[in-house]
Amino acid sequence: MATSPYLSNLLVSAAFVSEDFVPDGDLSKRFWQQAERLRFDHDWNRRRHYPEAHTEVAVGWSRRYLYCAFWCKYTQLNVYAGEDPGPEKWELWNRDVAEVFVNPQPERVGHYYEFEVAPNGQWIDLEIHRDTDLKYDAAWNSGFDHATRTFAEEHLWTCEMRIPVQPMGVATIGPDDEWRINFYRCDGPGDDSVRRFLAWSTTMTAEPSFHVPEHFGRVRFAGKP
């Protein structure tokens, strides 16, 4: 039997979405309240915990879309203030973001897709090739939908994403399909020496790095269309 190139066995179950919906950032929807949530507050190599940046994520799916919801605690928001959230924002990761990295073809370990959304609605999506050097394809466009809300009194911001699967080379999602996935946060003001870099499935690198696809966890698509 061939040895798996993946080093993480973490698993999240995605619930079936019976009727597709456009994100509006409202996570009080019955679907999200009933969905399984994963939780993390540790950094990318599990050396430190940040309860003030506690993060929860839930995942859903339909034939055509992957859905993700984030609940993100924070102490102080760090965004590109006053900018138009419409255009794609290069280097958005230098501010607060919720991120999902998706590999719908796990046999291609070094090929995956990156989606980022900031608390103020700015966004970026990328096709990634990491078979040798790390290569970003910023021209790739998924057409994903996203929305955020901020609850200042609770020090919480939420994010809802709807990612179409066809731009990722997948015709449809099927029940019991299993992909590779990881969830991240960049949080807090200052330079990288003081910012928080959180990962659901830890990458275990010496310096902060999210581009370690061998450490992606698993997402399994449960339920029946």
Side-chain angles (χ1 to χ4, degrees):
M1 179 180 294
T3 302
S4 171
Y6 291 99
L7 302 174
S8 173
N9 204 37
L10 290 179
L11 174 68
V12 61
S13 179
F16 179 67
V17 175
S18 59
E19 186 173 348
D20 284 314
F21 59 89
V22 178
D24 61 6
D26 180 7
L27 303 188
S28 67
K29 297 179 182 69
R30 183 178 179 182
F31 177 81
W32 292 125
Q33 292 302 310
Q34 294 181 340
E36 172 190 329
R37 295 193 201 181
L38 56 88
R39 298 167 172 82
F40 59 97
D41 69 359
H42 51 75
D43 65 10
W44 77 97
N45 59 12
R46 206 179 281 275
R47 291 180 182 174
R48 296 188 64 179
H49 287 261
Y50 301 105
E52 68 273 25
H54 176 88
T55 306
E56 299 185 10
V57 183
V59 188
W61 70 280
S62 69
R63 287 289 194 183
R64 299 169 54 206
Y65 296 103
L66 174 71
Y67 292 83
C68 297
F70 287 80
W71 292 258
C72 304
K73 296 291 287 185
Y74 70 91
T75 54
Q76 179 182 347
L77 290 180
N78 179 21
V79 299
Y80 290 104
E83 295 191 6
D84 182 359
E88 187 170 26
K89 178 65 178 180
W90 179 247
E91 295 188 337
L92 186 60
W93 50 86
N94 288 327
R95 298 294 189 270
D96 292 353
V97 285
E99 305 186 19
V100 55
F101 286 25
V102 182
N103 184 346
Q105 299 171 314
E107 66 278 7
R108 300 180 64 189
V109 179
H111 178 244
Y112 51 95
Y113 302 90
E114 175 178 349
F115 304 87
E116 301 183 19
V117 179
N120 63 352
Q122 289 185 304
W123 63 278
I124 189 171
D125 58 5
L126 301 161
E127 182 175 10
I128 306 295
H129 298 270
R130 182 142 200 190
D131 295 320
T132 52
D133 297 333
L134 179 62
K135 297 178 181 178
Y136 301 85
D137 184 354
W140 178 76
N141 182 21
S142 68
F144 83 116
D145 298 298
H146 48 86
T148 62
R149 297 191 182 191
T150 300
F151 305 89
E153 291 186 359
E154 301 175 45
H155 287 271
L156 173 75
W157 68 277
T158 61
C159 175
E160 197 172 32
M161 302 184 193
R162 184 178 76 165
I163 302 169
V165 301
Q166 287 190 350
M168 295 189 290
V170 178
T172 60
I173 301 175
D176 299 322
D177 285 354
E178 188 172 292
W179 296 359
R180 285 286 167 167
I181 200 165
N182 212 348
F183 305 96
Y184 306 103
R185 292 248 336 260
C186 299
D187 176 72
D191 62 27
D192 286 357
S193 67
V194 295
R195 296 176 73 211
R196 293 174 281 266
F197 300 96
L198 287 73
W200 170 55
S201 183
T202 50
T203 61
M204 305 309 293
T205 53
E207 299 297 328
S209 177
F210 295 163
H211 291 279
V212 188
E214 296 85 356
H215 282 271
F216 288 6
R218 298 178 292 149
V219 58
R220 182 175 297 153
F221 300 107
K224 301 294 182 182

